[in-house]
Amino acid sequence: IYDWKQRVASYTVSIYAGGQAVAAPGEFEDVFGNFASQFEITTPYTELVIAAESEVEVLDVDPFEFAKKLSVRPSFPVSWMPWELKMLQPYLTSQELPDTQLKEIYDYAQGFVQRNKGDVLETLFDMNLTLFREYKYVPGATTLGTTAFDVMSTKAGVCQDFANLFITMARMLSLR
C-alpha cells in the first residue's frame, strides 16, 4: 500500500472479542480509494480490542509540499455539486449538540477563516496548529461522552478529542 508520500512497509490488525481472537478482517478498497477492513462478530461480547500496528516509510519529508504546487487555491465559501452532496451525506452532519454550542464552534471556526482571508488550506493548517499549540494533551481528561464543545471549552483532551473538534469545525465550514 503506497502513495506518492508514503509506503506501508508492514502492518497487522488483531481483533479480540471477549478475549477470543476474531478471524482476520476482510480487506477491500472503498469508494474513495481508501483501503479498509471489515470483520463480523456473531456472538455476544463484553469487551472488544482492536490492535493495529504499522510501519510506514515516509517518502517526502515536507507534508505541506503539495500546497506550494497548487496553481489555484481553494477558498470559502465551498460549494458542492448535488451528486457530491448525496454521496457525502453520511459525513455531512455534525454531532448532535445544542444550537448554542454549535454556534460557538461555528464562530470559533469562522475566526480561522477570517484570520486566513478565506484560504481553505491555510485555514485548515491554522486550525491544526492551534490544536497542537494551544490545547493540552491530558490522558484520562475525557470520556466517550466528551463532545467537541467540551474540548473547545476546556482546551484539553486526547488525540480523538482533538480530531473530533477539528472534524466538527470543518463540517461547520462546509468541508466534507
Side-chain angles (χ1 to χ4, degrees):
I1 303 170
Y2 65 93
D3 66 16
W4 56 288
K5 296 280 187 187
Q6 61 189 10
R7 182 181 69 80
V8 177
S10 65
Y11 71 96
T12 59
V13 177
S14 304
I15 303 164
Y16 301 90
Q20 301 296 313
V22 175
E27 296 180 345
F28 62 96
E29 188 173 336
D30 70 13
V31 297
F32 300 105
N34 301 305
F35 290 96
S37 297
Q38 71 180 33
F39 61 93
E40 183 176 339
I41 301 173
T42 58
T43 58
Y45 59 90
T46 57
E47 180 182 33
L48 177 65
V49 177
I50 301 174
E53 290 187 36
S54 301
E55 182 179 331
V56 178
E57 178 184 2
V58 178
L59 305 173
D60 188 348
V61 294
D62 183 358
F64 303 113
E65 182 65 28
F66 76 94
K68 298 172 191 170
K69 297 177 182 177
L70 293 175
S71 59
V72 176
R73 301 282 296 213
S75 62
F76 290 99
V78 176
S79 60
W80 298 97
M81 295 298 292
W83 65 269
E84 291 173 314
L85 286 173
K86 186 173 183 173
M87 183 176 77
L88 294 170
Q89 189 58 47
Y91 309 102
L92 297 179
T93 309
S94 296
Q95 72 184 85
E96 292 185 23
L97 292 171
D99 286 345
T100 55
Q101 292 180 4
L102 287 174
K103 172 87 168 88
E104 283 191 52
I105 293 172
Y106 175 78
D107 290 344
Y108 182 56
Q110 277 296 325
F112 291 98
V113 173
Q114 301 306 316
R115 186 165 58 228
N116 292 285
K117 299 179 179 75
D119 184 293
V120 171
L121 294 176
E122 291 299 324
T123 296
L124 294 173
F125 292 154
D126 189 12
M127 287 168 36
N128 187 48
L129 284 172
T130 297
L131 291 173
F132 176 73
R133 292 177 178 157
E134 296 179 12
Y135 286 65
K136 258 185 107 170
Y137 180 82
V138 183
T142 59
T143 68
L144 291 174
T146 301
T147 68
F149 182 79
D150 298 331
V151 176
M152 185 185 77
S153 300
T154 63
K155 293 191 182 288
V158 293
C159 299
Q160 66 264 21
D161 299 312
F162 304 142
N164 184 27
L165 176 56
F166 184 93
I167 291 166
T168 300
M169 288 192 295
R171 287 177 173 163
M172 298 299 294
L173 296 174
S174 297
L175 299 175
R176 312 319 188 213

